[in-house]
């Protein structure tokens, strides 16, 4: 998807982008912290997640429907940058596996993670092998695409109408990182320097690379495939972790 700069004031665009940057973090706090169910099925948490995600991914549509009042021009996906994106994903996945199987798997940092993951799966009713597989496929394939549409195409794309490349990448990537910090804190409470901080910085770096790939190629296909592969690596490690409970 590509489009010319929307005929809206920079202030209006900035306000919508500010909402898009902050809402996912507020939502993550609501469903991951405030409504945490302590390992029991939690309908309120599930409802908050579903409603929040629907609203989040509707923000770009609402912006173009009611603010810009015209839809962006659609262009078919291209394979520009796919090789680079896949190579980056394999490099990241390889580094994750090397760190996990070489050190983290038996470290005190992840000692409590299997039980915390199991409780979170119980809260959403997916604490079976089939449930974990369904969650993995949804998040790796569908949700990763929606995040690329949201963070790279919309948030980064709108910032590019307001700012040069470097600050646009920095702001979009920090916004992409912020809601992950809440989730990481849920799995590594009290381990800010050893767990939350390095993982969060890695997520921000990944967001920056995907924005750069999107800028170069003009298509979501490459960053989406890269995002999908990295998420698949994370869920493969998660599966190994929960087998230890």
């Amino acid at each position: 998807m590509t489009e010319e700069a929307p005929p809206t004031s920079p202030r209006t665009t900035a306000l919508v982008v500010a909402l898009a940057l902050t809402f996912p973090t507020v939502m993550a706090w609501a469903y991951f912290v405030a409504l945490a169910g302590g390992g029991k099925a939690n309908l309120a948490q599930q409802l908050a997640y579903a409603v929040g995600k629907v609203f989040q991914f509707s923000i770009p549509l609402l912006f173009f429907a009611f603010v810009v009042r015209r839809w962006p021009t659609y262009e078919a996906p291209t394979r520009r940058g796919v090789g680079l994106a896949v190579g980056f994903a394999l490099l990241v996945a390889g580094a994750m596996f090397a760190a996990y199987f070489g050190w983290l798997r038996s470290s005190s940092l992840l000692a409590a993670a299997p039980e915390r993951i199991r409780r979170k799966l119980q809260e959403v009713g997916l604490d079976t092998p089939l449930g974990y597989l369904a969650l993995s496929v949804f998040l790796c394939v569908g949700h990763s695409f929606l995040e690329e549409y949201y963070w790279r195409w919309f948030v980064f794309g709108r910032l590019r109408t307001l700012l040069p490349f470097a600050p646009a990448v920095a702001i979009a990537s920090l916004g992409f990182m912020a809601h992950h910090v809440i989730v990481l804190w849920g799995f590594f409470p009290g381990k800010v320097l050893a767990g939350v901080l390095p993982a969060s910085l890695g997520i921000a770096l990944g967001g920056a690379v995907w924005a750069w790939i999107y800028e170069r190629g003009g298509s979501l296909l490459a960053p989406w495939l890269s995002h999908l592969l990295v998420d698949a690596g994370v869920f493969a490690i998660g599966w190994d972790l929960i087998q230890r409970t």
Side-chain angles (χ1 to χ4, degrees), residues 3 42 54 65 72 86 92 103-104 109 112 127 136 146 149 156 162 176 187 191 194 198 220 240:
E3 73 287 330
N42 189 330
V54 168
V86 171
V92 172
W103 167 56
L104 292 172
L109 179 64
D127 55 325
S136 302
L146 290 173
Y149 139 82
F156 172 68
L162 303 172
F176 176 62
F187 291 120
K191 299 184 183 294
L220 286 178
D240 183 75

Side-chain angles (χ1 to χ4, degrees), residues 96-166:
M96 288 193 304
F97 287 133
Y100 175 69
F101 288 104
W103 167 56
L104 292 172
R105 191 172 188 263
S106 58
S107 72
S108 60
L109 179 64
L110 295 182
E115 180 61 24
R116 292 193 181 104
I117 295 172
R118 186 185 64 80
R119 288 202 305 266
K120 289 298 180 184
L121 291 171
Q122 287 176 331
E123 288 175 10
V124 295
L126 296 172
D127 55 325
T128 65
L130 185 60
Y132 188 85
L133 176 62
L135 178 66
S136 302
V137 171
F138 165 69
L139 291 178
C140 292
V141 180
H143 190 263
S144 66
F145 175 77
L146 290 173
E147 284 206 315
E148 290 305 306
Y149 139 82
Y150 185 85
W151 290 106
R152 255 56 74 183
W153 177 70
F154 182 70
V155 175
F156 172 68
R158 293 306 91 213
L159 285 169
R160 285 293 280 126
T161 69
L162 303 172
L163 299 168
F165 174 75

Side-chain angles (χ1 to χ4, degrees), residues 1 5-6 8 30-32 49 55 57 88 92 105 118 125 151 160 169 195 223 225 228 231-232 235:
M1 299 179 185
T8 56
Y31 74 77
F32 214 83
Y49 178 85
F55 178 73
F57 294 130
F88 172 71
V92 172
R105 191 172 188 263
R118 186 185 64 80
W151 290 106
R160 285 293 280 126
V169 166
L225 289 176
L228 184 159
D231 280 1
F235 275 92

